[in-house]
Amino acid sequence: MLTPARLAQYVLPLMVLGSTQLMASTAVDQQIEQLRARVSAHSVEVNRFEQELLHPVDTRVAVFLTLAGRNGLEVDAVELFIDGQPVASHLYSKRERNALERGGVQQLFTGNLSNGGHEIKAVISVRTAKDQFIRRESVHRFTKSTGTHRLQLALDAHAPDYEPDVTITEWK
Amino acid sequence: MTGLFHSWVSAPAIKIFLLIALFCDPAKATSPTVPEELSEGVVRFALATGDITAALPLQDRLKGDSADYLRGRLLLESGNVQQGLDTLVQVAQGRYHRGEAALMVARHYGAEGDADESRNWYQVAAKNGFGETRQKARFALAELQRHAGRLDAAGKTLAGMDEGYWTAVGYLNLATDFARTDLNPSRALVSLRVALAMCETDTNRERSKELKSRLLVRAGQLAYAHEDYDKAIGFLKKVSLDSYRTPQALYLHGLALSEQGNYRAAMQSWHRAKKYPLAYPGVEDAWLGMGRGYDLAGYLGQAGEAFLAASAAYEGERATLRELEKRIREAGAYKSLVDDARNADLEWFLADSRTLTQPRLAYLLGLIENPVTQRAVARVAELEEMIASLEQQERDLTVFMAALGNKPSSDTQGRSKQLSADQDALTNAVAALSGPNISPAQKRHIRELRDALNASGSVLERLSNVGGGNNQRQPRKRQAERLRKQTQSLLVEVRAVRDEAGKALDRLALEFIEQEDQRMAFALDKTEQQIAHLYEYLALKKLDGGKP
C-alpha cells in the first residue's frame, strides 16, 4: 500500500532533480497566488471568529507540545485526556516530527473548561534513541481561573536510559 | 486540517459555547491563545507542516533574531508575495538568516523565469549561508551553469562543495551531460563514482538509498553501452531491490549477463524484472528477453511460449491503459492517479514490500518524473486543499448561524434567575463565616470560596445583561452570514481555477497514457515479429525434413 512516506521516498528525489529548472509561471500560477492571498486572509478572519465563538476567553484552555531537546526521541502518537475524557489525539507524520525536532511548537488542543480544579493526562508513544517503543503517561493537576489557561507539554529524554519524560508547564 | 468540532462536543454544547461567547467581554475575546514565548515555535511548526492559517495572526507578535525571517516566510506562503519578498530581501541584507532568506528569494526569481536575478541571489546564499542552505545554493549555481552548457564551470562549482546529497545530485546531472557529449564514457563514469562517494555521507538514509540506486543504474547502463559487461554487472548487482529503478536494473543486469553468454543467469534476472508492472522502464524488454533467452539457448518450444506470454501481457497492459484513460476522462487525472493512490494509505499498517508492484503507483511515478507534470500536480493539490478548507469553513459557519438564530428558552431564563438567587444566598453564607475565632487554614478556605463566588458572580452579571441578547446575537449572526457569503464566493472562484488546472493535468496525463500505449504497441509488434520468425524457422526446418 502507498503511504505518504513511501511516495515521498520515490518521488522526492525525482522532484529534486527537476526543481532547479527554470519554468516560467503561467497565468494559472498567478491566479493561484492571488487566490492564496485572499483565501489566507479570509481564513484568518473565520478562524478568529470561530475562536471567539467556540473558545470564549474566560473558559479557554490551550495545550501545546514541544520537544525539550534533540535527544533522538521520535514522537509516534499523543493522546490527551482532561478530567478522564479524551479530548485530542494525534498521530505524527515524519514532517511533523521533523518540525518538532527543529524547535516547532504544536498547538495540540484548544477547548473550554470551567474554573476550578482539573486533571490533564497525556499519553505519549515514542521511539527512543535505542529503537524501543515506549508509551508514557503523565498526569498533572491544575486550577483553571478566569482567562485563557495554557499548558505546555515538554518531552525530553535523559542519559543513560534515554527514556521519555514529560514536563508540564503552566503559562499564565 | 481537522474539523472544527471534536467528536466529544455535542450539538447542545456548541450552543452553550456560543451563548457563553456572547456574554464575554469583546475586548478580552481577542486575547491571544498562544503565549508570546511559544509564538515563534508555533510559527515554525506551521511553516514546516504547511498549515499556516492559525499561525498568520501571530506574525506581528514575533520577537527575536528570527522574527523577520519567519514573518517573510509567512507572507510568502500566504500569497502576499511582494510583501514577503521585500521582507526576505531585508533579512538577506541583515545579520541573521541571511543565507536562508537569499535562497528563498533566489528560488522565487527562478520560478518566475528570471535567471539573472536568481543567479545573483543564489550567489548571496552560497556566500552567506551555512550547512544545507549553502549546499543547496551552490548546487543551484552549478545547475544554472550546466543548463548554460558550461560543464567545466559546473564541475568546478561542484568540486568546491562539501560531501553530501546535493553534491551527489550535481555530479549525477553532470554525468548525464558528459554521457551525452563524450564518445568515451570515462568522464561520465568518474562523475558517477564521485557522486556515489558523495552520496554515502548523506544522513537521510531514504533519499540516499534512492539516489544510490539511480546512480548505480546510470553507471551500469553506461558501462553496458560501452561493452564493459563486468563493470556493468558490478554496478547493477548493488541496486536495492526496493527501488523505483530496480526493474530497469534487473533488465540491464540480465542483458549484460547474456552478452557474456550466461543466458541462464540472464533469464533469472529478467524473470525477477517481469514481476514488476509493465509501466516501469525495462520490464517490457525483460518479457521479450525471456523468449529471446530460450531461443538463443536452443529451447524453441519454451521460446514460443515465452513470446506468447509476453504478447498476452502487453495486450493486458493495453487494456489496463484503456481503463485508466477512461477513468481519467471521467474523474480526472488527479482523482484517478494521485488521490486514489493516497486513499490506499488507510490500510498502511497492512503495507508490505509489494508497494512497487501496483500498476497505478507505477504509472503515477512515471507520470511525475516530468517536472512540468510535477508542477501541474502540485497546482491541483494546492487548490484541492483550499477547496477542502473552504468547504469546512462553510459547514462550520452554517452551524454557527443556526445556533445563533435560536433564542434562549424561557427555561434558560428561569434557570438564570434561580442561579442568581443561589449566588446571593452563597455570598451571604460566606460573609457570615468571618469572625475572630477562625484559624489561618479556615481563612484561606474562605478566601478561596470568596474568589470562586466573585468569578461566578461576574459570569451571572453578564448573563443578566443578556436580556437584550439579540443585541449581541444579531451582530454575530450577521458576521457569520457575511463570512459564509465570502466563503461561498471564494469557493466558486477556487473551483473554477481548480477545473482549469485539472484540465491541464488531464491533458498531460492523457498524453502520457498515449505514449505508454504506443510503447506497449511497439513491444507487441516486436513480440509478434519474434513469433513469426520462430514459426517461419520451424516451418522451414519441417520442409527440409530435419528436426528443429
Side-chain angles (χ1 to χ4, degrees), chain A residues 4 14-15 17 22-23 29 33 36-38 42-43 45 50 52-53 58 60 105 150 171, chain B residues 21 31-33 41 77-78 81 110-111 169 214 379 382 393 462 476 482 486-487 493:
Chain A
L14 308 177
M15 294 183 80
L17 299 178
L22 295 173
M23 287 182 287
D29 284 321
E33 206 167 277
R36 197 193 303 148
R38 287 172 58 206
H42 173 75
S43 300
E45 207 181 342
E50 286 173 351
E52 285 170 21
L53 280 181
D58 281 350
R60 193 183 300 167
V105 177
R150 300 124 171 166
W171 292 88
Chain B
S31 149
T33 306
E77 292 280 319
S78 61
V81 177
V169 176
R214 186 179 267 261
R379 272 188 212 114
E382 184 180 351
Q393 285 176 13
R462 267 179 266 143
R476 296 278 195 189
R482 180 181 61 80
Q486 271 180 20
T487 308
E493 285 183 61

mmCIF file of all heavy atoms in Angstrom, chain A residues 4 14-15 17 22-23 29 33 36-38 42-43 45 50 52-53 58 60 105 150 171, chain B residues 21 31-33 41 77-78 81 110-111 169 214 379 382 393 462 476 482 486-487 493:
data_model
loop_
_atom_site.group_PDB
_atom_site.id
_atom_site.type_symbol
_atom_site.label_atom_id
_atom_site.label_comp_id
_atom_site.label_asym_id
_atom_site.label_seq_id
_atom_site.Cartn_x
_atom_site.Cartn_y
_atom_site.Cartn_z
ATOM 1 N N PRO A 4 2.233 8.130 2.453
ATOM 2 C CA PRO A 4 2.890 9.363 2.016
ATOM 3 C C PRO A 4 4.408 9.256 2.130
ATOM 4 O O PRO A 4 5.136 9.725 1.271
ATOM 5 C CB PRO A 4 2.328 10.400 2.976
ATOM 6 C CG PRO A 4 1.022 9.856 3.404
ATOM 7 C CD PRO A 4 1.192 8.367 3.424
ATOM 8 N N LEU A 14 13.055 12.444 -7.444
ATOM 9 C CA LEU A 14 12.700 12.804 -8.813
ATOM 10 C C LEU A 14 12.384 14.288 -8.881
ATOM 11 O O LEU A 14 12.773 14.983 -9.795
ATOM 12 C CB LEU A 14 11.467 12.016 -9.282
ATOM 13 C CG LEU A 14 11.525 10.515 -9.126
ATOM 14 C CD1 LEU A 14 10.207 9.906 -9.558
ATOM 15 C CD2 LEU A 14 12.649 9.946 -9.953
ATOM 16 N N MET A 15 11.685 14.777 -7.845
ATOM 17 C CA MET A 15 11.290 16.181 -7.839
ATOM 18 C C MET A 15 12.522 17.062 -7.718
ATOM 19 O O MET A 15 12.631 18.083 -8.367
ATOM 20 C CB MET A 15 10.326 16.458 -6.698
ATOM 21 C CG MET A 15 9.018 15.746 -6.855
ATOM 22 S SD MET A 15 7.867 16.135 -5.575
ATOM 23 C CE MET A 15 7.243 17.686 -6.135
ATOM 24 N N LEU A 17 15.488 16.564 -8.754
ATOM 25 C CA LEU A 17 16.272 16.647 -9.974
ATOM 26 C C LEU A 17 15.703 17.685 -10.934
ATOM 27 O O LEU A 17 16.435 18.282 -11.697
ATOM 28 C CB LEU A 17 16.323 15.276 -10.663
ATOM 29 C CG LEU A 17 16.978 14.184 -9.824
ATOM 30 C CD1 LEU A 17 16.943 12.876 -10.556
ATOM 31 C CD2 LEU A 17 18.402 14.527 -9.474
ATOM 32 N N LEU A 22 14.411 26.245 -14.725
ATOM 33 C CA LEU A 22 13.638 27.477 -14.767
ATOM 34 C C LEU A 22 12.378 27.248 -15.581
ATOM 35 O O LEU A 22 12.436 26.825 -16.721
ATOM 36 C CB LEU A 22 14.472 28.586 -15.409
ATOM 37 C CG LEU A 22 15.703 29.005 -14.619
ATOM 38 C CD1 LEU A 22 16.532 29.966 -15.434
ATOM 39 C CD2 LEU A 22 15.304 29.665 -13.318
ATOM 40 N N MET A 23 11.239 27.494 -14.938
ATOM 41 C CA MET A 23 9.973 27.325 -15.649
ATOM 42 C C MET A 23 9.152 28.586 -15.418
ATOM 43 O O MET A 23 8.860 28.937 -14.277
ATOM 44 C CB MET A 23 9.220 26.119 -15.114
ATOM 45 C CG MET A 23 9.833 24.803 -15.546
ATOM 46 S SD MET A 23 8.873 23.428 -14.935
ATOM 47 C CE MET A 23 9.284 23.469 -13.231
ATOM 48 N N ASP A 29 -0.786 29.987 -12.472
ATOM 49 C CA ASP A 29 0.040 30.190 -11.267
ATOM 50 C C ASP A 29 -0.256 31.538 -10.630
ATOM 51 O O ASP A 29 -0.330 31.660 -9.406
ATOM 52 C CB ASP A 29 1.527 30.113 -11.619
ATOM 53 C CG ASP A 29 1.962 28.685 -11.846
ATOM 54 O OD1 ASP A 29 1.500 27.815 -11.110
ATOM 55 O OD2 ASP A 29 2.740 28.443 -12.780
ATOM 56 N N GLU A 33 -1.794 32.281 -6.966
ATOM 57 C CA GLU A 33 -1.115 33.131 -5.994
ATOM 58 C C GLU A 33 -2.087 34.168 -5.415
ATOM 59 O O GLU A 33 -2.127 34.391 -4.206
ATOM 60 C CB GLU A 33 0.043 33.826 -6.697
ATOM 61 C CG GLU A 33 1.159 34.224 -5.760
ATOM 62 C CD GLU A 33 2.372 34.610 -6.556
ATOM 63 O OE1 GLU A 33 3.123 33.717 -6.958
ATOM 64 O OE2 GLU A 33 2.542 35.822 -6.788
ATOM 65 N N ARG A 36 -4.555 32.423 -3.210
ATOM 66 C CA ARG A 36 -3.947 32.001 -1.949
ATOM 67 C C ARG A 36 -3.946 33.155 -0.955
ATOM 68 O O ARG A 36 -4.251 32.987 0.230
ATOM 69 C CB ARG A 36 -2.525 31.513 -2.197
ATOM 70 C CG ARG A 36 -1.966 30.691 -1.044
ATOM 71 C CD ARG A 36 -0.493 30.475 -1.158
ATOM 72 N NE ARG A 36 -0.106 29.839 -2.410
ATOM 73 C CZ ARG A 36 1.044 30.072 -3.041
ATOM 74 N NH1 ARG A 36 1.897 30.936 -2.554
ATOM 75 N NH2 ARG A 36 1.333 29.441 -4.155
ATOM 76 N N ALA A 37 -3.607 34.359 -1.436
ATOM 77 C CA ALA A 37 -3.575 35.531 -0.552
ATOM 78 C C ALA A 37 -4.971 35.819 -0.008
ATOM 79 O O ALA A 37 -5.138 36.061 1.191
ATOM 80 C CB ALA A 37 -3.044 36.730 -1.313
ATOM 81 N N ARG A 38 -5.964 35.751 -0.886
ATOM 82 C CA ARG A 38 -7.331 36.075 -0.443
ATOM 83 C C ARG A 38 -7.883 35.010 0.500
ATOM 84 O O ARG A 38 -8.507 35.317 1.516
ATOM 85 C CB ARG A 38 -8.237 36.244 -1.667
ATOM 86 C CG ARG A 38 -7.933 37.558 -2.394
ATOM 87 C CD ARG A 38 -8.659 37.650 -3.701
ATOM 88 N NE ARG A 38 -10.087 37.531 -3.558
ATOM 89 C CZ ARG A 38 -10.904 37.084 -4.519
ATOM 90 N NH1 ARG A 38 -10.409 36.711 -5.678
ATOM 91 N NH2 ARG A 38 -12.184 37.005 -4.320
ATOM 92 N N HIS A 42 -8.964 35.505 4.386
ATOM 93 C CA HIS A 42 -10.325 35.127 4.780
ATOM 94 C C HIS A 42 -10.295 34.060 5.885
ATOM 95 O O HIS A 42 -11.051 34.140 6.856
ATOM 96 C CB HIS A 42 -11.061 34.622 3.534
ATOM 97 C CG HIS A 42 -12.406 34.056 3.818
ATOM 98 N ND1 HIS A 42 -13.491 34.844 4.114
ATOM 99 C CD2 HIS A 42 -12.842 32.768 3.872
ATOM 100 C CE1 HIS A 42 -14.523 34.061 4.339
ATOM 101 N NE2 HIS A 42 -14.158 32.809 4.191
ATOM 102 N N SER A 43 -9.409 33.088 5.734
ATOM 103 C CA SER A 43 -9.326 32.003 6.728
ATOM 104 C C SER A 43 -8.934 32.540 8.094
ATOM 105 O O SER A 43 -9.407 32.048 9.120
ATOM 106 C CB SER A 43 -8.310 30.940 6.292
ATOM 107 O OG SER A 43 -8.707 30.396 5.076
ATOM 108 N N GLU A 45 -9.688 35.447 9.251
ATOM 109 C CA GLU A 45 -10.881 36.104 9.795
ATOM 110 C C GLU A 45 -11.865 35.059 10.345
ATOM 111 O O GLU A 45 -12.385 35.197 11.454
ATOM 112 C CB GLU A 45 -11.557 36.930 8.697
ATOM 113 C CG GLU A 45 -12.348 38.094 9.243
ATOM 114 C CD GLU A 45 -13.045 38.892 8.144
ATOM 115 O OE1 GLU A 45 -12.652 38.764 6.971
ATOM 116 O OE2 GLU A 45 -13.978 39.624 8.469
ATOM 117 N N GLU A 50 -14.300 32.004 14.814
ATOM 118 C CA GLU A 50 -14.566 30.698 15.442
ATOM 119 C C GLU A 50 -13.988 30.641 16.851
ATOM 120 O O GLU A 50 -14.620 30.140 17.780
ATOM 121 C CB GLU A 50 -13.945 29.577 14.604
ATOM 122 C CG GLU A 50 -14.713 29.301 13.339
ATOM 123 C CD GLU A 50 -13.997 28.310 12.433
ATOM 124 O OE1 GLU A 50 -12.832 27.954 12.701
ATOM 125 O OE2 GLU A 50 -14.603 27.907 11.434
ATOM 126 N N GLU A 52 -13.446 33.127 18.844
ATOM 127 C CA GLU A 52 -14.236 33.990 19.743
ATOM 128 C C GLU A 52 -15.536 33.304 20.147
ATOM 129 O O GLU A 52 -15.979 33.420 21.273
ATOM 130 C CB GLU A 52 -14.558 35.305 19.039
ATOM 131 C CG GLU A 52 -13.369 36.238 18.945
ATOM 132 C CD GLU A 52 -13.630 37.416 18.036
ATOM 133 O OE1 GLU A 52 -14.813 37.735 17.808
ATOM 134 O OE2 GLU A 52 -12.651 37.998 17.549
ATOM 135 N N LEU A 53 -16.141 32.586 19.191
ATOM 136 C CA LEU A 53 -17.422 31.942 19.490
ATOM 137 C C LEU A 53 -17.268 30.654 20.287
ATOM 138 O O LEU A 53 -17.977 30.410 21.244
ATOM 139 C CB LEU A 53 -18.148 31.615 18.193
ATOM 140 C CG LEU A 53 -18.898 32.751 17.505
ATOM 141 C CD1 LEU A 53 -19.569 32.218 16.267
ATOM 142 C CD2 LEU A 53 -19.950 33.348 18.420
ATOM 143 N N ASP A 58 -12.790 33.419 28.741
ATOM 144 C CA ASP A 58 -12.931 33.080 30.161
ATOM 145 C C ASP A 58 -12.798 31.588 30.421
ATOM 146 O O ASP A 58 -12.396 31.163 31.495
ATOM 147 C CB ASP A 58 -14.301 33.554 30.680
ATOM 148 C CG ASP A 58 -14.282 35.046 30.953
ATOM 149 O OD1 ASP A 58 -13.174 35.620 30.921
ATOM 150 O OD2 ASP A 58 -15.363 35.616 31.166
ATOM 151 N N ARG A 60 -11.344 29.426 28.038
ATOM 152 C CA ARG A 60 -10.421 28.827 27.068
ATOM 153 C C ARG A 60 -9.234 28.124 27.724
ATOM 154 O O ARG A 60 -8.641 28.626 28.675
ATOM 155 C CB ARG A 60 -9.892 29.915 26.138
ATOM 156 C CG ARG A 60 -9.172 29.362 24.916
ATOM 157 C CD ARG A 60 -8.606 30.491 24.083
ATOM 158 N NE ARG A 60 -9.635 31.401 23.605
ATOM 159 C CZ ARG A 60 -9.369 32.586 23.066
ATOM 160 N NH1 ARG A 60 -8.123 32.998 22.958
ATOM 161 N NH2 ARG A 60 -10.349 33.363 22.650
ATOM 162 N N VAL A 105 6.520 24.245 17.790
ATOM 163 C CA VAL A 105 5.591 24.040 18.907
ATOM 164 C C VAL A 105 4.226 23.711 18.309
ATOM 165 O O VAL A 105 3.718 24.475 17.492
ATOM 166 C CB VAL A 105 5.487 25.313 19.777
ATOM 167 C CG1 VAL A 105 4.475 25.124 20.888
ATOM 168 C CG2 VAL A 105 6.841 25.683 20.352
ATOM 169 N N ARG A 150 -3.059 28.175 29.638
ATOM 170 C CA ARG A 150 -2.204 27.478 28.662
ATOM 171 C C ARG A 150 -1.282 26.504 29.368
ATOM 172 O O ARG A 150 -0.694 26.830 30.398
ATOM 173 C CB ARG A 150 -1.342 28.476 27.896
ATOM 174 C CG ARG A 150 -2.102 29.501 27.122
ATOM 175 C CD ARG A 150 -1.637 30.826 27.578
ATOM 176 N NE ARG A 150 -2.158 31.905 26.755
ATOM 177 C CZ ARG A 150 -2.093 33.150 27.129
ATOM 178 N NH1 ARG A 150 -1.584 33.472 28.289
ATOM 179 N NH2 ARG A 150 -2.558 34.089 26.351
ATOM 180 N N TRP A 171 1.317 28.276 31.665
ATOM 181 C CA TRP A 171 1.604 29.675 31.288
ATOM 182 C C TRP A 171 0.444 30.539 31.751
ATOM 183 O O TRP A 171 -0.703 30.232 31.455
ATOM 184 C CB TRP A 171 1.746 29.814 29.768
ATOM 185 C CG TRP A 171 2.956 29.124 29.230
ATOM 186 C CD1 TRP A 171 3.052 27.834 28.838
ATOM 187 C CD2 TRP A 171 4.242 29.693 29.031
ATOM 188 N NE1 TRP A 171 4.313 27.545 28.401
ATOM 189 C CE2 TRP A 171 5.072 28.691 28.509
ATOM 190 C CE3 TRP A 171 4.785 30.963 29.246
ATOM 191 C CZ2 TRP A 171 6.400 28.909 28.192
ATOM 192 C CZ3 TRP A 171 6.112 31.179 28.923
ATOM 193 C CH2 TRP A 171 6.908 30.160 28.411
ATOM 194 N N ALA B 21 -20.005 32.728 24.711
ATOM 195 C CA ALA B 21 -19.193 33.647 23.922
ATOM 196 C C ALA B 21 -19.886 34.999 23.795
ATOM 197 O O ALA B 21 -19.249 36.040 23.837
ATOM 198 C CB ALA B 21 -18.953 33.070 22.545
ATOM 199 N N SER B 31 -8.102 38.059 23.049
ATOM 200 C CA SER B 31 -6.884 37.757 23.795
ATOM 201 C C SER B 31 -6.177 36.555 23.180
ATOM 202 O O SER B 31 -6.810 35.570 22.813
ATOM 203 C CB SER B 31 -7.280 37.464 25.238
ATOM 204 O OG SER B 31 -6.412 36.548 25.811
ATOM 205 N N PRO B 32 -4.848 36.618 23.025
ATOM 206 C CA PRO B 32 -4.143 35.543 22.320
ATOM 207 C C PRO B 32 -4.158 34.220 23.078
ATOM 208 O O PRO B 32 -4.068 34.205 24.300
ATOM 209 C CB PRO B 32 -2.727 36.084 22.193
ATOM 210 C CG PRO B 32 -2.597 37.101 23.265
ATOM 211 C CD PRO B 32 -3.950 37.668 23.489
ATOM 212 N N THR B 33 -4.291 33.137 22.320
ATOM 213 C CA THR B 33 -4.265 31.811 22.931
ATOM 214 C C THR B 33 -2.824 31.358 23.144
ATOM 215 O O THR B 33 -2.517 30.665 24.102
ATOM 216 C CB THR B 33 -4.982 30.815 21.991
ATOM 217 O OG1 THR B 33 -6.264 31.335 21.711
ATOM 218 C CG2 THR B 33 -5.095 29.452 22.606
ATOM 219 N N GLY B 41 7.820 29.238 18.042
ATOM 220 C CA GLY B 41 7.746 27.792 17.833
ATOM 221 C C GLY B 41 6.502 27.383 17.068
ATOM 222 O O GLY B 41 6.549 26.534 16.184
ATOM 223 N N GLU B 77 4.229 32.449 1.990
ATOM 224 C CA GLU B 77 3.387 31.241 1.965
ATOM 225 C C GLU B 77 1.899 31.594 1.879
ATOM 226 O O GLU B 77 1.116 30.832 1.333
ATOM 227 C CB GLU B 77 3.600 30.408 3.231
ATOM 228 C CG GLU B 77 4.964 29.776 3.347
ATOM 229 C CD GLU B 77 5.105 28.529 2.525
ATOM 230 O OE1 GLU B 77 4.164 27.729 2.500
ATOM 231 O OE2 GLU B 77 6.164 28.358 1.879
ATOM 232 N N SER B 78 1.546 32.755 2.457
ATOM 233 C CA SER B 78 0.124 33.109 2.468
ATOM 234 C C SER B 78 -0.288 33.858 1.209
ATOM 235 O O SER B 78 -1.398 34.367 1.125
ATOM 236 C CB SER B 78 -0.208 33.933 3.709
ATOM 237 O OG SER B 78 0.535 35.130 3.689
ATOM 238 N N VAL B 81 3.032 37.851 -1.858
ATOM 239 C CA VAL B 81 4.365 37.602 -2.403
ATOM 240 C C VAL B 81 5.259 38.835 -2.337
ATOM 241 O O VAL B 81 6.399 38.737 -1.867
ATOM 242 C CB VAL B 81 4.245 37.087 -3.856
ATOM 243 C CG1 VAL B 81 5.592 36.887 -4.482
ATOM 244 C CG2 VAL B 81 3.474 35.783 -3.855
ATOM 245 N N GLY B 110 13.793 32.285 -9.684
ATOM 246 C CA GLY B 110 13.965 31.125 -10.574
ATOM 247 C C GLY B 110 12.622 30.622 -11.084
ATOM 248 O O GLY B 110 12.457 30.341 -12.276
ATOM 249 N N ALA B 111 11.643 30.545 -10.170
ATOM 250 C CA ALA B 111 10.305 30.063 -10.563
ATOM 251 C C ALA B 111 9.626 31.045 -11.505
ATOM 252 O O ALA B 111 8.785 30.663 -12.305
ATOM 253 C CB ALA B 111 9.448 29.864 -9.318
ATOM 254 N N VAL B 169 23.815 14.779 -6.330
ATOM 255 C CA VAL B 169 22.835 15.043 -7.395
ATOM 256 C C VAL B 169 23.486 15.888 -8.492
ATOM 257 O O VAL B 169 23.288 15.651 -9.689
ATOM 258 C CB VAL B 169 21.575 15.752 -6.833
ATOM 259 C CG1 VAL B 169 20.608 16.108 -7.947
ATOM 260 C CG2 VAL B 169 20.867 14.875 -5.826
ATOM 261 N N ARG B 214 19.692 5.032 -8.317
ATOM 262 C CA ARG B 214 19.659 5.761 -9.588
ATOM 263 C C ARG B 214 21.073 5.872 -10.172
ATOM 264 O O ARG B 214 21.278 5.689 -11.375
ATOM 265 C CB ARG B 214 19.079 7.155 -9.317
ATOM 266 C CG ARG B 214 18.835 7.979 -10.536
ATOM 267 C CD ARG B 214 18.240 9.291 -10.119
ATOM 268 N NE ARG B 214 16.809 9.253 -10.142
ATOM 269 C CZ ARG B 214 16.064 9.744 -11.144
ATOM 270 N NH1 ARG B 214 16.639 10.306 -12.171
ATOM 271 N NH2 ARG B 214 14.772 9.665 -11.119
ATOM 272 N N ARG B 379 -0.129 22.128 -8.402
ATOM 273 C CA ARG B 379 -1.160 23.158 -8.535
ATOM 274 C C ARG B 379 -2.521 22.602 -8.101
ATOM 275 O O ARG B 379 -3.208 23.198 -7.280
ATOM 276 C CB ARG B 379 -1.286 23.578 -10.005
ATOM 277 C CG ARG B 379 -0.366 24.677 -10.386
ATOM 278 C CD ARG B 379 -0.700 25.162 -11.798
ATOM 279 N NE ARG B 379 0.510 25.613 -12.431
ATOM 280 C CZ ARG B 379 1.089 25.051 -13.478
ATOM 281 N NH1 ARG B 379 0.550 24.010 -14.049
ATOM 282 N NH2 ARG B 379 2.199 25.514 -13.969
ATOM 283 N N GLU B 382 -2.759 21.913 -4.346
ATOM 284 C CA GLU B 382 -2.924 23.124 -3.530
ATOM 285 C C GLU B 382 -4.377 23.630 -3.610
ATOM 286 O O GLU B 382 -4.971 23.987 -2.590
ATOM 287 C CB GLU B 382 -1.961 24.211 -4.014
ATOM 288 C CG GLU B 382 -2.041 25.434 -3.116
ATOM 289 C CD GLU B 382 -1.123 26.574 -3.511
ATOM 290 O OE1 GLU B 382 -0.275 26.389 -4.397
ATOM 291 O OE2 GLU B 382 -1.278 27.650 -2.917
ATOM 292 N N GLN B 393 -15.076 25.415 6.310
ATOM 293 C CA GLN B 393 -15.493 26.712 6.880
ATOM 294 C C GLN B 393 -16.984 26.955 6.617
ATOM 295 O O GLN B 393 -17.701 27.431 7.502
ATOM 296 C CB GLN B 393 -14.703 27.845 6.227
ATOM 297 C CG GLN B 393 -13.278 27.956 6.704
ATOM 298 C CD GLN B 393 -12.506 29.025 5.955
ATOM 299 O OE1 GLN B 393 -13.076 29.847 5.255
ATOM 300 N NE2 GLN B 393 -11.196 29.002 6.094
ATOM 301 N N ARG B 462 -23.033 39.110 33.671
ATOM 302 C CA ARG B 462 -23.066 39.219 32.215
ATOM 303 C C ARG B 462 -24.292 38.498 31.656
ATOM 304 O O ARG B 462 -24.923 38.955 30.723
ATOM 305 C CB ARG B 462 -21.789 38.651 31.608
ATOM 306 C CG ARG B 462 -20.750 39.746 31.410
ATOM 307 C CD ARG B 462 -19.481 39.196 30.844
ATOM 308 N NE ARG B 462 -18.542 38.892 31.920
ATOM 309 C CZ ARG B 462 -17.734 37.866 31.934
ATOM 310 N NH1 ARG B 462 -17.738 37.016 30.951
ATOM 311 N NH2 ARG B 462 -16.897 37.673 32.923
ATOM 312 N N ARG B 476 -23.355 39.038 15.670
ATOM 313 C CA ARG B 476 -22.577 37.808 15.441
ATOM 314 C C ARG B 476 -23.159 37.014 14.275
ATOM 315 O O ARG B 476 -22.433 36.482 13.442
ATOM 316 C CB ARG B 476 -22.603 36.921 16.694
ATOM 317 C CG ARG B 476 -21.952 37.537 17.890
ATOM 318 C CD ARG B 476 -20.463 37.338 17.833
ATOM 319 N NE ARG B 476 -19.879 37.618 19.123
ATOM 320 C CZ ARG B 476 -18.597 37.703 19.353
ATOM 321 N NH1 ARG B 476 -17.756 37.540 18.364
ATOM 322 N NH2 ARG B 476 -18.121 37.954 20.543
ATOM 323 N N ARG B 482 -22.000 37.032 6.726
ATOM 324 C CA ARG B 482 -21.088 37.724 5.805
ATOM 325 C C ARG B 482 -19.897 36.817 5.465
ATOM 326 O O ARG B 482 -19.522 36.665 4.301
ATOM 327 C CB ARG B 482 -20.595 39.026 6.466
ATOM 328 C CG ARG B 482 -19.638 39.844 5.606
ATOM 329 C CD ARG B 482 -19.179 41.097 6.343
ATOM 330 N NE ARG B 482 -18.452 40.824 7.573
ATOM 331 C CZ ARG B 482 -17.173 40.474 7.620
ATOM 332 N NH1 ARG B 482 -16.473 40.350 6.524
ATOM 333 N NH2 ARG B 482 -16.579 40.240 8.784
ATOM 334 N N GLN B 486 -18.752 35.216 1.845
ATOM 335 C CA GLN B 486 -17.383 35.358 1.317
ATOM 336 C C GLN B 486 -16.800 33.990 0.985
ATOM 337 O O GLN B 486 -16.169 33.796 -0.042
ATOM 338 C CB GLN B 486 -16.490 36.019 2.362
ATOM 339 C CG GLN B 486 -16.466 37.527 2.286
ATOM 340 C CD GLN B 486 -15.545 38.111 3.362
ATOM 341 O OE1 GLN B 486 -14.683 37.425 3.888
ATOM 342 N NE2 GLN B 486 -15.744 39.372 3.667
ATOM 343 N N THR B 487 -17.024 33.031 1.906
ATOM 344 C CA THR B 487 -16.512 31.671 1.701
ATOM 345 C C THR B 487 -17.089 31.094 0.415
ATOM 346 O O THR B 487 -16.359 30.503 -0.397
ATOM 347 C CB THR B 487 -16.892 30.769 2.899
ATOM 348 O OG1 THR B 487 -16.499 31.400 4.087
ATOM 349 C CG2 THR B 487 -16.242 29.408 2.814
ATOM 350 N N GLU B 493 -14.713 30.727 -7.083
ATOM 351 C CA GLU B 493 -13.508 31.118 -7.825
ATOM 352 C C GLU B 493 -12.450 30.013 -7.789
ATOM 353 O O GLU B 493 -11.842 29.678 -8.804
ATOM 354 C CB GLU B 493 -12.920 32.388 -7.223
ATOM 355 C CG GLU B 493 -13.705 33.628 -7.574
ATOM 356 C CD GLU B 493 -13.042 34.874 -7.014
ATOM 357 O OE1 GLU B 493 -11.908 35.156 -7.392
ATOM 358 O OE2 GLU B 493 -13.680 35.539 -6.175
#
